[in-house]
Amino acid sequence: MGRKKLIPIFTTRAHVFQIDPSTKKNWVPASKQAVTVSYFYDSTRNSYRIISVDGAKVIINSTITPNMTFTKTSQKFGQWADSRANTVFGLGFPSEQQLTKFAEKFQEVKEAAKLARDRSQEKIETSSNHSQESGRETPSSTRASSVNGTDDEKASHGGPAEAHLKSENDKLKIALAQSSSNVKKWETELQTLRESNARLTTALQESAASIEHWKKQFSACKEENDQLRSKIEELEEQCNEINKEKERNAQLSRRLQELETELQDKELELEELRKQGEIIPQLMSECESVSQQLQAAEKKNKDLEEKVRTLRTEVEESKHRQTNLKTELKNFLDVLDGKIDELHDFRQGLSKLGVDD
């Protein structure tokens, strides 16, 4: 039975993101929901990895090196750059405690990776020293064999030693070549990490500038909202005046009815006076007085009719003003609803920007 290649060390759950390769600024979700993110020890390669799988898709397979750094960018979000994968991974956690625990484990695994690298270099150096010592000892033993033994003995003792030395030298050459290759890779990774950090710093500065811009827009919208509220208060006062105007119109209508009733009473009184003038001849002397009263009543009746027409005209004008005020109020309320919707959309945009950060 073979050795187990991947040994789990630590497991948590988080939302996985990757930096947008085109802009190098925005985060692109790599999973639709929170997925399992685990640390593993690769016993075959003597390395440590962060691996996450969403269904059948591997979304993170990052080998941790001593040069990597895990950075907390908010209370629940952290990130690290992987130059081998040529990307930046981001993790969103449900709580700050889980983020802190993941960051501490990242530091521990990073130290373990550094220790493994140092041990590997020590083994290479030890193998190199051992090979050099073997190289120095082999000629003397060969010479001793040639002096004390026959040519067959030389062949039997010198051949395996030279083959072993050649094998060790080949291994050393391969190890040194791999070490040089790893150094170049680490230098490239370091340079890529520096460039990535520079891009991330620029993105952070642009994000801060964008936040300031949104803050200014929010202040402007707040001022506009205050102005709209003041306008609403003014319209409410106008509505109160409209109500008062309605009350005055109602009073005028009641007064008009009273005048019409009084006019009818006067007409009845005039009719009675006419009847009395026809029935009682002896009151002819008073007829002139009654006629005068009648004329005065008719004149008064005309005045009352004129007042009624005036009152009706005023009522119509008041209704017209009331209709205009209602139209203006409806238009203003429509504009106000539009502004409130814009403010609501703006607040949603601002909230979304804080979550992304």
Side-chain angles (χ1 to χ4, degrees):
M1 186 180 293
R3 287 191 307 173
K4 204 175 183 182
K5 292 185 178 180
L6 294 178
I7 302 172
I9 300 174
F10 175 78
T11 299
T12 185
R13 291 185 67 82
H15 290 270
V16 180
F17 299 85
Q18 287 187 4
I19 203 72
D20 189 347
S22 59
T23 63
K24 300 294 183 181
K25 296 178 182 179
N26 301 323
W27 289 107
V28 178
S31 62
K32 294 181 180 180
Q33 65 274 343
V35 295
T36 301
V37 182
S38 303
Y39 287 95
F40 286 93
Y41 172 66
D42 188 349
S43 59
T44 304
R45 300 182 181 179
N46 192 24
S47 62
Y48 295 85
R49 297 187 195 178
I50 299 175
I51 298 176
S52 178
V53 179
D54 186 8
K57 180 182 178 183
V58 178
I59 55 179
I60 299 178
N61 186 7
S62 177
T63 301
I64 300 175
T65 65
N67 296 325
M68 286 185 177
T69 302
F70 184 81
T71 305
K72 295 181 183 179
T73 57
S74 67
Q75 291 183 348
K76 298 181 181 180
F77 192 86
Q79 65 185 48
W80 78 95
D82 189 341
S83 60
R84 294 181 180 178
N86 194 24
T87 188
V88 179
F89 293 103
L91 297 179
F93 293 88
S95 65
E96 184 177 1
Q97 291 79 8
Q98 293 182 1
L99 171 60
T100 301
K101 195 170 182 180
F102 187 89
E104 292 173 353
K105 188 59 65 175
F106 191 97
Q107 186 65 27
E108 292 177 8
V109 173
K110 176 182 173 182
E111 294 295 332
K114 182 179 180 181
L115 184 59
R117 184 190 67 180
D118 294 341
R119 287 178 179 175
S120 177
Q121 290 179 353
E122 287 177 1
K123 287 182 180 179
I124 293 173
E125 291 174 358
T126 303
S127 299
S128 177
N129 293 333
H130 179 70
S131 297
Q132 290 175 2
E133 289 174 359
S134 299
R136 287 194 297 269
E137 291 173 357
T138 300
S140 62
S141 62
T142 305
R143 285 193 300 271
S145 298
S146 63
V147 172
N148 297 324
T150 62
D151 292 338
D152 293 335
E153 289 175 344
K154 285 197 294 183
S156 63
H157 290 285
E162 290 178 357
H164 178 71
L165 180 59
K166 185 177 180 181
S167 175
E168 290 293 331
N169 287 335
D170 290 339
K171 290 181 180 179
L172 278 175
K173 289 178 181 179
I174 294 171
L176 289 174
Q178 290 179 350
S179 177
S180 300
S181 176
N182 288 335
V183 169
K184 291 180 180 179
K185 287 181 180 179
W186 291 335
E187 289 177 352
T188 304
E189 183 177 348
L190 178 60
Q191 183 62 29
T192 304
L193 184 60
R194 286 175 178 172
E195 294 175 356
S196 176
N197 288 338
R199 289 194 296 268
L200 289 173
T201 302
T202 303
L204 182 61
Q205 292 174 353
E206 292 178 355
S207 177
S210 178
I211 290 174
E212 290 297 328
H213 174 69
W214 283 111
K215 284 182 179 179
K216 291 179 181 179
Q217 283 196 349
F218 179 74
S219 299
C221 289
K222 189 176 180 182
E223 292 177 0
E224 185 177 0
N225 189 25
D226 293 337
Q227 292 176 357
L228 290 174
R229 288 190 178 184
S230 301
K231 186 66 175 177
I232 289 173
E233 291 177 356
E234 293 177 0
L235 289 174
E236 287 178 350
E237 292 179 358
Q238 292 180 3
C239 288
N240 292 331
E241 292 180 357
I242 290 173
N243 292 331
K244 292 179 181 178
E245 188 69 22
K246 286 182 179 179
E247 292 178 358
R248 287 196 292 269
N249 291 338
Q251 292 176 357
L252 290 173
S253 297
R254 289 194 296 270
R255 180 58 181 166
L256 180 61
Q257 291 176 358
E258 292 175 356
L259 290 173
E260 288 177 350
T261 303
E262 185 178 352
L263 179 60
Q264 291 176 359
D265 294 338
K266 292 295 182 180
E267 288 177 351
L268 292 174
E269 184 180 353
L270 180 61
E271 187 65 25
E272 289 178 357
L273 289 174
R274 286 177 179 174
K275 289 179 180 179
Q276 289 178 3
E278 293 176 357
I279 296 172
I280 307 173
Q282 60 268 24
L283 295 178
M284 292 296 295
S285 58
E286 298 178 0
C287 186
E288 294 180 359
S289 175
V290 172
S291 297
Q292 292 176 357
Q293 291 179 359
L294 180 59
Q295 291 176 357
E298 288 177 351
K299 183 178 180 181
K300 190 174 182 181
N301 186 26
K302 289 180 181 180
D303 293 335
L304 290 174
E305 289 177 352
E306 185 65 24
K307 288 181 179 180
V308 168
R309 285 194 294 271
T310 303
L311 288 173
R312 285 178 178 173
T313 302
E314 291 178 357
V315 168
E316 292 296 326
E317 291 178 353
S318 177
K319 288 181 179 179
H320 184 67
R321 286 197 302 273
Q322 183 178 354
T323 302
N324 291 335
L325 286 174
K326 285 182 178 179
T327 302
E328 291 179 359
L329 179 59
K330 183 177 181 301
N331 293 334
F332 174 76
L333 290 176
D334 292 338
V335 173
L336 179 60
D337 290 337
K339 294 294 183 180
I340 290 174
D341 291 338
E342 291 178 0
L343 182 60
H344 180 66
D345 293 340
F346 169 72
R347 287 179 176 173
Q348 286 184 345
L350 189 60
S351 298
K352 186 175 180 182
L353 183 60
V355 170
D356 290 336
D357 290 335

